[in-house]
Every structure is written in structure tokens, then in C-alpha cells.
């Protein structure tokens, strides 16, 4: 029997609550399948760890994680620890050091999921965001000159390398080709006259190798408007780190909310482990109450199964989530139900088998 080793970083706030449910679901699936199993090793890294040790994870944390098949992460962030430290020293470090340059975020309105758009039906909202995840606006480069003086200047640099831009755009073209979908590139070349002009140029250049793929290019502001007015025009979407971060929260809002939004950080070459996480944060406002929605974390576990080569199990999980939404069974408060986090996870497990 094949055994996968998974590093689990539950993190802060609701992270541990929601991750527990995705572990239950993965264990159940390995039982049902019978050809593979999981070994989960849990690491208590995050803000509490920081408050005890002064670091978000041990100095050799990356070496500890490297041998794993994949990483499951809950959420990171706690009041009292500056977000730029918690995010940068753990999440962004893992994404960067493991060259997880693809951030894959499905934006799909399942039947029964709440949608604030008046006329949208399931099927109208069914896109995949491919967000550049290794450089761009989140490169962390810049300078802070003459602090606390009248001459104070801050510079936040964006970094768009040819290698980094080409590989994310190529990944998107490959997905559009293999799934026979349209590809939309979102940029802002009119205002960002270096980075985004370059992005648009690479999008055209790489596109010459994919004459069979129908493409569209949108400015990010117009794209935000169209996601609300006409979301069905998007299928596969490729965009930069910052734009993808913002637009996928909008995507979550139109497809059931943060409790249903999953994301995968992929190293497509599989040289390093990829990391799977719900896109929501640690939700300190509801942490510890046992009412957080675990379905985003469960959906990210579905993404993990797909990445490991079990698309049928990934589809099965989405099916179960859809059944719960349609039949209004086992849903947490954010989706209008009254189930606890654990009851919601139990419902997934029971409907699976
Ligand atoms: P958040 O996503 O934690 O919460 C936003 C709102 O959505 C809150 O009202 C929360 O209760 C609700 N919410 C989020 N996930 C939910 C779930 N599973 N079930 C039910 N309701 C849910 O974003 P916020 O408040 O901006 O950030 C809180 C902390 O999380 C900060 O420290 C932030 O830096 C961190 N964060 C971490 C992320 C990560 O680890 N990937 C991503 C985003 C934020
Ligand atoms: Mg975000």
C-alpha cells in the first residue's frame, strides 16, 4: 500500500479546528480507497510558537518540511503578532523556498451555495485563478529611508523576471489547452508601465505557442467589475501575485464566502512539497467557539488528492459538499446552518461512505 507523508501545520485561531476536519476526511478516503494511506506529522508552528520562541518556525523548518509529499496548512495570524511577520516568516517563506510558484484557486459556485449576485446560477461562476506566487508585488524588496523624519521615503519594489513570468503564463496556457477553456490574463499595463507592459508582452509571446487557446486580456479594474457583472466570461485566469490575492477574495465572495474558498500552492515540477490551505485567515473573531466552517480546508484537501493523482476522490469531496449545500445538511453558521465545525466535518465523512 502506498503511504503518503504529509506535514500538517494547523497554525493559529481557527486553523487547528478546520484542519482537524480535513484530516478526518483524508483518513476516511484512504480507508474507502484501500490502496493508499497517510502519515500526518503535526508541527505546532505559528504565532503561539513565535510568542514562546521568537520565531514562527525553527531555523531548520524548511529542512524539516522538505522530505514530505505535501504540506497541509490551516491559517496563520494572531492579534499581538504583526501580520507582516507571521505571514512573511512562515507562509511566504514556505511558498518561496519550495518554489511554489503556482497559486491555484478555484472560484466555483456550487449548487446551493449562497451568492450575492442577483442572477448568477451555478455554472455561471466556474473559473480557476492561477496566481503568480513567487515574486511580483510580493517580492519583499524595497527600502525605508530616513524613518521618522520629514524626508521619510519608502520604496516597495515589484519584481517580474522573465523566468517567473513565463512559467506562470505557460502553466496557465497548458491548463487552458488541456481543459479546452479560454484563458484571460489580468494586468494593468496602462498604469504600471514596466511590470505590466512586460507581463502583457510575455502573455502574447508565449501565446504564439498556443494558437488553439482563445485568449482575453483585461485590466485589473475592469476585471473586478466583470467578475461581478458577468462572471461567466472567465474560465482560466492568470494574473500577478497582488492582483490574484485581491481578486480571489472577490471570487470567494461571489462563490459562497470565505468558508468555501480553497487554494493550492504548487511546485509543479514536484521538486519540493506543495502546500494546500484554505484561503481564509485565522478568524480571531470566531476562534475557539467551534463554529468555523471547515469546508474550505476540506476542499483544499480535495486539491491535495487531485495533486497526488486521485481526481476521482477530489470530485467526490466536491460532490459531497454540494449535497450538503443543496440539502442544507451539516452547514455552519456562515452558510446559514447551525452545525459546529466538528458536526460539519462528520457530515462530510458520513456522506463519503
Ligand atoms: P479572515 O479570513 O481570518 O476573516 C475574515 C472574516 O471571515 C471574519 O469575519 C471571519 O470570522 C470570517 N471567516 C474566515 N474564515 C472562516 C471560516 N472558515 N468559517 C467561518 N467564518 C470565517 O481574515 P482577517 O480577519 O483579515 O485576518 C485574520 C488573521 O488571519 C490576520 O492575522 C491575517 O493576517 C491572517 N490571515 C492569514 C491567512 C493565511 O494564513 N493564509 C490569509 C488571510 C489572513
Ligand atoms: Mg489573501
Amino acid at each position: 500500500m502506498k503511504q503518503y507523508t504529509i506535514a500538517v501545520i494547523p497554525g493559529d485561531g481557527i486553523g487547528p479546528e478546520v484542519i482537524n476536519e480535513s484530516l478526518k476526511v483524508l483518513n476516511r478516503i484512504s480507508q474507502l480507497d484501500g490502496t493508499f494511506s497517510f502519515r500526518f506529522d503535526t508541527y505546532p508552528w505559528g504565532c503561539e510558537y513565535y510568542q514562546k520562541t521568537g520565531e514562527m518556525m525553527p531555523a531548520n523548518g524548511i529542512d524539516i518540511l522538505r522530505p514530505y509529499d505535501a504540506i497541509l496548512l490551516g491559517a496563520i495570524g494572531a492579534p499581538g503578532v504583526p501580520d507582516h511577520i507571521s505571514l512573511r516568516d512562515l507562509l511566504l517563506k514556505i511558498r518561496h523556498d519550495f518554489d511554489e510558484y503556482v497559486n491555484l484557486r478555484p472560484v466555483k459556485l456550487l449548487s446551493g451555495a449562497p451568492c450575492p449576485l442577483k442572477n448568477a446560477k451555478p455554472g455561471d461562476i466556474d473559473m480557476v485563478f492561477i496566481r503568480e506566487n513567487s515574486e511580483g508585488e510580493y517580492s519583499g524588496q524595497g527600502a525605508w529611508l530616513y524613518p521618522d523624519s520629514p524626508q521619510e521615503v519608502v520604496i516597495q519594489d515589484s519584481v517580474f523576471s522573465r523566468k517567473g513570468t513565463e512559467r506562470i503564463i505557460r502553466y496557465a496556457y497548458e491548463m487552458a489547452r488541456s481543459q479546452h477553456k479560454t484563458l484571460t490574463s489580468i494586468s494593468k499595463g496602462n498604469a504600471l508601465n514596466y511590470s505590466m507592459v512586460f507581463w502583457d508582452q510575455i502573455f502574447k509571446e508565449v501565446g504564439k505557442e498556443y494558437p488553439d487557446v482563445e485568449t482575453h486580456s483585461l485590466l485589473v479594474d475592469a476585471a473586478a467589475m466583470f467578475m461581478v457583472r458577468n462572471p461567466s466570461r472567465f474560465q482560466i485566469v492568470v494574473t500577478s501575485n497582488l492582483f490574484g490575492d485581491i481578486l480571489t477574495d472577490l471570487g470567494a465572495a461571489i462563490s459562497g464566502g470565505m468558508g468555501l474558498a480553497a487554494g493550492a500552492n504548487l511546485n509543479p515540477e514536484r521538486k519540493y512539497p506543495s502546500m494546500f490551505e484554505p484561503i481564509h485567515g485565522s478568524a480571531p473573531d470566531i476562534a475557539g467557539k467551534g463554529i468555523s466552517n471547515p469546508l474550505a480546508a476540506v476542499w483544499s484537501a480535495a486539491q491535495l488528492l487531485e495533486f497526488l493523482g486521485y481526481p476521482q476522490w477530489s470530485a467526490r469531496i466536491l460532490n459531497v459538499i454540494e449535497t450538503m449545500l443543496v440539502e442544507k445538511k451539516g452547514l455552519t453558521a456562515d452558510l446559514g446552518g447551525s452545525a459546529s465545525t466538528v458536526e460539519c466535518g462528520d457530515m462530510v465523512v458520513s456522506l463519503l461512505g
Side-chain angles (χ1 to χ4, degrees), residues 42-324:
T42 301
Y43 295 97
W45 304 338
C47 291
E48 216 175 289
Y49 188 88
Y50 177 86
Q51 277 157 337
K52 277 188 231 140
T53 65
E55 39 188 21
M56 290 294 296
M57 64 172 162
N60 63 342
I62 290 294
D63 294 328
I64 294 174
L65 296 174
R66 191 173 287 114
Y68 284 94
D69 291 310
I71 303 163
L72 274 181
L73 185 129
I76 298 294
V81 179
D83 281 341
H84 67 271
I85 291 183
S86 56
L87 188 70
R88 199 154 275 290
D89 290 359
L90 198 142
L91 205 60
L92 293 188
K93 183 164 174 54
I94 294 172
R95 286 179 184 170
H96 175 267
D97 287 12
F98 289 152
D99 210 13
E100 295 168 347
Y101 63 86
V102 175
N103 189 207
L104 196 85
R105 295 185 166 186
V107 175
K108 184 177 164 80
L109 181 65
L110 299 180
S111 297
C115 177
L117 306 184
K118 209 165 49 184
N119 298 319
K121 303 176 297 301
D124 292 344
I125 302 178
D126 188 0
M127 54 190 111
V128 175
F129 263 78
I130 296 169
R131 163 189 172 195
E132 205 294 318
N133 211 28
S134 67
E135 51 173 39
E137 306 88 342
Y138 291 2
S139 68
Q141 301 305 308
W144 199 307
L145 306 176
Y146 320 116
D148 300 322
S149 79
Q151 304 94 300
E152 192 164 22
V153 175
V154 295
I155 300 168
Q156 184 87 47
D157 287 329
S158 291
V159 174
F160 287 78
S161 66
R162 177 167 278 278
K163 177 182 166 193
T165 309
E166 269 185 20
R167 66 183 180 177
I168 194 70
I169 286 176
R170 191 176 299 281
Y171 185 92
Y173 270 108
E174 286 291 333
M175 181 177 281
R177 170 178 276 172
S178 68
Q179 299 186 6
H180 306 289
K181 299 228 169 112
T182 64
L183 176 61
T184 300
S185 161
I186 296 177
S187 65
K188 185 68 185 171
N190 55 350
L192 300 173
N193 54 334
Y194 294 101
S195 58
M196 289 295 161
V197 170
F198 179 69
W199 176 281
D200 289 341
Q201 180 191 316
I202 302 273
F203 185 67
K204 280 206 193 103
E205 254 178 57
V206 176
K208 292 201 185 108
E209 297 166 41
Y210 299 84
D212 50 313
V213 175
E214 180 186 328
T215 60
H216 304 273
S217 282
L218 286 176
L219 297 171
V220 63
D221 36 3
M225 185 267 294
F226 282 128
M227 279 179 71
V228 172
R229 299 286 306 248
N230 187 10
S232 63
R233 65 182 286 152
F234 298 97
Q235 294 185 335
I236 310 292
V237 180
V238 64
T239 191
S240 69
N241 212 333
L242 171 67
F243 295 167
D245 191 3
I246 298 170
L247 290 176
T248 51
D249 265 34
L250 175 56
I254 61 171
S255 60
M258 293 308 268
L260 278 175
N265 304 280
L266 303 180
N267 173 247
E269 291 76 26
R270 297 172 193 250
K271 189 168 168 202
Y272 307 107
S274 292
M275 177 164 66
F276 300 81
E277 51 166 340
I279 83 172
H280 62 70
S282 55
D285 53 336
I286 57 166
K289 297 185 179 157
I291 57 167
S292 59
N293 184 350
L295 293 177
V298 169
W299 193 329
S300 55
Q303 289 188 298
L304 164 69
L305 285 162
E306 179 152 2
F307 189 71
L308 294 178
Y310 306 99
Q312 70 283 18
W313 282 119
S314 171
R316 180 82 191 110
I317 291 180
L318 285 199
N319 226 264
V320 163
I321 295 177
E322 199 154 40
T323 303
M324 290 168 62

